[in-house]
Amino acid sequence: MTARRLTDDYRLEQRVRRAFGAGLKEFSLIESGDRILVGLSGGKDSMALLELLGELARRRGGAFRVEALHVRMGNVDYRTDVGYLARFAAGCGCGFHLREVSFEADRDEKRSPCFLCSWNRRKQLFETAQELGCTKIALGHHRDDILRTAMMNLTFAGSFATMPVKIRMRKFPVTIIRPLCRVDEADLRRWAEIHGYQPLVKTCPHDGEGNRRSIESVVDAMQRLCPEARNSLWHALEKDGKLVEL
């Protein structure tokens, strides 16, 4: 590997860590005594999140604890290497938990397989968080996820809203946080390559369906039109109080 490549990789790792730390500080996402449950799907984003949180927990001398939950959806044809994920979590200094569930097809067209899968995963996250006494659930959504969701809501729902960086649940004594909120997807993709993350054995057959992929191209076109488009959209969400819901 060339010296330039090593330098570029080092800069990228520092950039990811700085953005990660900036999001934690700006939105006060972690407190001493927290027990955090990470939704570990096996994709690059959730794996980077677990690694960064585990690294931070070690640096802070165990001021907070991190657990990982992997949910296997029995009737969706994708595959993950559970053994690899368990070893990965252990290497991050985090506990690992596995839940296997399934769902029945719904006649309501609005309740797509993706909706039902997501709903059941969230249910398992909340139930496991309460079983373990976790105060927070950490999800691996990055800045581009947040911006694309805002554009989807504007385009298809006529509302200016997105997935909050921090939201305190009313029905459960837990707060959802998104610590990668300041990290760009392109940087996470390269981070995963540098750290040698093992890809999913088989991706979900529904991956790429729906409008999210189309919105990605819209946001990319906005960025080509104006290099500050992503930053402008982020600042608009921030000024309108859409990034925190307490």
Side-chain angles (χ1 to χ4, degrees):
M1 185 178 291
T2 66
R4 180 176 180 180
R5 180 64 173 272
L6 285 170
T7 301
D8 289 345
D9 289 350
Y10 173 78
R11 287 174 178 167
L12 179 133
E13 292 210 14
Q14 293 301 105
R15 185 164 66 246
V16 168
R17 288 189 173 94
R18 282 196 301 269
F20 173 70
L24 295 182
K25 182 178 180 180
E26 180 179 355
F27 298 101
S28 302
L29 297 184
I30 297 178
E31 301 168 297
S32 293
D34 274 343
R35 189 170 187 179
I36 302 171
L37 181 64
V38 175
L40 182 64
S41 67
K44 69 181 189 312
D45 305 327
S46 63
M47 292 181 70
L49 174 59
L50 189 66
E51 186 171 12
L52 287 163
L53 284 174
E55 181 181 276
L56 181 62
R58 288 193 298 275
R59 288 207 311 268
R60 292 191 181 179
F64 64 93
R65 296 176 60 186
V66 184
E67 308 281 344
L69 171 65
H70 179 64
V71 180
R72 274 290 297 127
M73 202 59 61
N75 57 333
V76 178
D77 186 23
Y78 73 101
R79 297 178 203 138
T80 54
D81 186 337
V82 174
Y84 168 73
L85 294 178
R87 292 190 298 273
F88 181 84
C92 295
C94 307
F96 178 79
H97 308 271
L98 174 67
R99 298 288 185 271
E100 296 191 27
V101 295
S102 60
F103 61 87
E104 295 182 2
D106 200 309
R107 293 181 179 178
D108 186 346
E109 293 182 358
K110 294 181 180 180
R111 294 164 63 91
S112 66
C114 292
F115 170 86
L116 293 169
C117 181
S118 176
W119 188 90
N120 280 278
R121 287 178 187 279
R122 291 295 180 93
K123 181 181 177 182
Q124 289 299 315
L125 275 168
F126 286 125
E127 289 180 353
T128 304
Q130 291 183 87
E131 289 172 13
L132 298 175
C134 293
T135 52
K136 289 171 181 170
I137 293 174
L139 303 177
H141 298 114
H142 45 69
R143 189 172 82 128
D144 290 288
D145 284 326
I146 293 170
L147 298 180
R148 290 165 188 159
T149 298
M151 288 302 300
M152 285 188 68
N153 284 327
L154 276 172
T155 304
F156 299 105
S159 65
F160 189 56
T162 190
M163 49 178 73
V165 172
K166 184 177 183 180
I167 176 170
R168 186 172 297 152
M169 305 306 295
R170 294 180 177 85
K171 294 183 178 180
F172 304 93
V174 67
T175 299
I176 292 179
I177 59 175
R178 293 181 166 90
L180 298 180
C181 60
R182 282 288 194 177
V183 185
D184 291 332
E185 183 179 24
D187 284 347
L188 287 170
R189 190 177 293 115
R190 180 60 190 149
W191 171 283
E193 292 173 359
I194 294 170
H195 288 242
Y197 291 168
Q198 177 178 301
L200 295 175
V201 178
K202 182 179 180 182
T203 57
C204 175
H206 301 290
D207 188 35
E209 292 182 3
N211 296 312
R212 186 164 290 274
R213 292 293 183 191
S214 300
I215 285 294
E216 286 185 31
S217 62
V218 171
V219 177
D220 289 343
M222 291 170 58
Q223 189 75 8
R224 288 193 297 272
L225 179 66
C226 173
E228 290 298 313
R230 280 183 169 87
N231 290 334
S232 296
L233 181 54
W234 177 272
H235 292 318
L237 291 166
E238 203 164 27
K239 285 191 295 185
D240 212 42
K242 302 300 184 182
L243 297 178
V244 176
E245 187 175 325
L246 299 176

